[in-house]
Amino acid sequence: METLSRINTGNLALVNPLQAHGTVVPTAPENLGPRVLELSSILQTTLDIDNQINLFGKEIQRYLAIDGLVYTPPGGEHKMIYGREASHRATYDLKLEQSPLGVVRVYREIPFADKEITSLENLLCALVYPLRNALTYKQAVELASRDPLTGVHNRMALSSSCLLY
C-alpha cells in the first residue's frame, strides 16, 4: 500500500509516495546543490516543453538510475514521455504559488530508496521555474494567436513561424 506525503518547500509543493526499499544513491542529496543549479541553467535554454522534459530526463540519469519519466501538463492535454515506463514509480504533483504545473512520474524497475527520493525531489526543484516559464510562454503564444472576442485564429496564427510551441 502506498503512503502519500506532502512536502512544502516555500512556494513549491511536491506530493510523492514514500518508499523505503534499498538501493544505492549515486549522488548524496546534500551534494546535489551545484548540480541542481547546473540542471536549472540547462533547462532554461529552451521554452519548448517537450525539449525541457527530454533534457530533464537525460540530465537526471547522470545522478539517478531511472528508466523513464512521463510529464502530464495541467489539464492533461497530452503526455510527454522520456524513456519508458517501468514497474515502480514516484509521482509528483508540481505546484508553484498554488498554480499547477502538471504531474511528473519517474519510472524504474527497482523501488526507490528514501535517499533516492530525496535526490529526485532536489532535482525536480530545478525543473519547476523553467517549466513554469515554458507553460507561460505557451499560453501567451496561444492567446496571441486567437481573437479574444470570437476565439477564432487570427492572422498571426496563419504564419507558421508564430506557432513555435
Side-chain angles (χ1 to χ4, degrees), residues 4-141:
L4 291 181
S5 74
R6 184 168 183 88
I7 299 164
N8 259 321
T9 55
N11 291 325
L12 169 65
L14 301 172
V15 178
N16 71 299
L18 290 177
Q19 300 178 16
H21 303 93
T23 57
V24 178
V25 178
T27 304
E30 59 274 8
N31 297 330
L32 282 173
R35 291 176 179 90
V36 170
L37 291 174
E38 177 187 343
L39 177 57
S40 183
S41 295
I42 291 168
L43 295 173
Q44 290 179 43
T45 61
T46 182
L47 288 171
D48 179 69
I49 298 171
D50 288 321
N51 196 14
Q52 275 187 351
I53 296 304
N54 284 324
L55 284 171
F56 182 72
K58 178 182 167 189
E59 290 297 319
I60 67 170
Q61 281 187 319
R62 295 172 49 195
Y63 311 112
L64 290 172
I66 67 163
D67 291 317
L69 65 92
V70 173
Y71 169 70
T72 306
E77 57 234 30
H78 77 286
K79 294 180 180 181
M80 287 129 212
I81 300 172
Y82 173 82
R84 64 180 179 81
E85 294 182 12
S87 57
H88 294 276
R89 73 175 183 257
T91 300
Y92 296 88
D93 183 17
L94 301 177
K95 293 181 183 179
L96 185 61
E97 301 172 349
Q98 302 305 316
S99 297
L101 298 177
V103 175
V104 174
R105 284 191 177 91
V106 181
Y107 291 92
R108 72 184 207 175
E109 289 301 327
I110 57 176
F112 290 94
D114 288 341
K115 286 185 178 181
E116 290 172 312
I117 291 292
T118 302
S119 294
L120 179 57
E121 289 166 0
N122 286 330
L123 292 166
L124 277 167
C125 289
L127 176 64
V128 172
Y129 286 101
L131 183 59
R132 189 244 354 232
N133 294 344
L135 289 168
T136 302
Y137 174 74
K138 180 180 177 186
Q139 181 183 27
V141 170

